[in-house]
Amino acid sequence: MSFEKTLVLIKPDGVQRQIVGKILQRFEDVGLKIVGMKMVWINSEFAKKHYAAHVDKSFYKGLEAMITEGPVIAMALSGLHAVSLVRKMVGKTEPKSAEPGTIRGDFAHHSYEYTDAKGKAIKNLIHASGTKEEADAEVALWFKDEELHDYETVHEKHVF
Ligand code: GDP
Ligand code: MG
């Protein structure tokens, strides 16, 4: 079925800019359901688990420094086609290229050119799982079973 859970992190730059509410509002408006949510300040060891696919890349040092520099808001969102829907709403990795209307396109404008020259990770406010497989693994990494909740929203009456 196309009913999925996906992991979203509002990264330290989004938390420090105090736009958690604005970002969250977009996901609620589209009818996605928050099934898990918490504030977490991760360490280097956990960062390497979350970004295992990127550990050997040239930008990893900057990426780890960025993701561990303050707390993140972690959430598990549930909905139809949730993984691809959230990626569409988040926009391209590089805010400079992300379309207006996407979270990265509307709230940031960092470029690869600028950040790579400085050895920093690109500040793009948000992480979202890229595929269903990534989403399943990431939700399991960030949330225990008892931290995920099942309940009905009003949207479900009009979807199912
Ligand atoms: P995402 O799935 O869109 O977040 O992108 P990736 O999984 O490819 O990369 C993870 C994170 O690493 C991104 O969100 C950026 O913060 C950072 N990043 C990715 N690619 C680059 C890059 O080429 N240069 C820099 N400086 N940072 C990058
Ligand atoms: Mg990714």
Side-chain angles (χ1 to χ4, degrees), residues 81-115:
H81 316 285
V83 176
S84 57
L85 171 63
V86 168
R87 287 294 289 206
K88 182 180 75 172
M89 294 174 71
V90 165
K92 290 190 183 135
T93 304
E94 183 189 38
K96 176 176 171 278
S97 316
E99 300 293 334
T102 65
I103 294 165
R104 287 166 170 170
D106 283 352
F107 294 108
H109 69 274
H110 245 177
S111 65
Y112 287 132
E113 188 188 337
Y114 177 80
T115 50

Side-chain angles (χ1 to χ4, degrees), residues 11 51 54 59 63 66 87 92-93 104 112 115-116 120-124 126-128:
K11 293 177 178 176
Y51 279 131
H54 297 314
F59 59 83
L63 178 57
M66 179 270 283
R87 287 294 289 206
K92 290 190 183 135
T93 304
R104 287 166 170 170
Y112 287 132
T115 50
D116 287 349
K120 292 183 171 181
I122 201 150
K123 293 216 173 162
N124 54 14
I126 193 159
H127 165 84

